[in-house]
Amino acid sequence: MEYDAFTGGVAPGGLRSKSDIRILICYMLKSVNAPLSGDDIIKVLQEKSLANYFEASDALSALVSLGNVTREEDNTYVLTKRGKSVADDLEQLIPSSVRDKAVAAATALLASAKMERENVATIVRTENGYNVTCHISGGEMELMSLSVYVPDLYQAREVKKNFHRDPPVSYTHLRAHETGRNL
């Protein structure tokens, strides 16, 4: 196999061929069956050390030019029928460990984004500090909201970040406290 891609930041076992990177992107989009932003696609490949940042960016542009992927108005990318065919026909050229890492990371990213959409945390400046309000949703309905006062913006951002890490845990702990149960 010919290696024609930059390998800076790519771990052993990662992709070193431009065509392999394109195939993996098609496979990933097919497997998650959801649109992903270009930043998210590149983030998955780069954070898992599967492909070089610049090669992943070029691969995404090439896939659009080839008609395998379309870029939607909301800047997400969607697999075309032609791209699905590429993924179906050529996925076996990509090592299963690479495919599994990419799909697991993309799936986790989508789950995290969904959780952030459904469980909103807002920061509002007050006269003496900040109020962070966390809204825990069951999807269609709000289950609970909680406001917390903190004295500075750094702490407000930390509360928001920690809340988004796992809103169901926050809900479980607060419900247990409310009913007097220990966790």
Side-chain angles (χ1 to χ4, degrees), residues 149-165:
Y149 166 80
V150 293
D152 58 55
L153 185 57
Y154 173 78
Q155 290 180 42
R157 288 180 177 152
E158 285 297 304
V159 168
K160 182 177 180 177
K161 181 175 77 175
N162 288 329
F163 169 72
H164 275 140
R165 217 175 260 147

Side-chain angles (χ1 to χ4, degrees), residues 3 27 33 41 43 45 55-56 65 86 89 107 126 129 144 158 170 176:
Y3 298 133
Y27 177 80
N33 196 27
I41 293 168
K43 179 180 179 180
L45 297 179
E55 295 294 350
S65 296
V86 166
D89 295 343
T107 301
T126 66
M144 179 172 51
E158 285 297 304
S170 300

Side-chain angles (χ1 to χ4, degrees), residues 13-35:
L15 303 179
R16 289 163 166 67
S17 160
K18 294 175 185 283
S19 63
D20 286 352
I21 297 168
R22 291 191 300 263
I23 293 166
L24 181 60
I25 292 172
C26 288
Y27 177 80
M28 188 170 53
L29 285 169
K30 179 190 98 164
S31 296
V32 299
N33 196 27

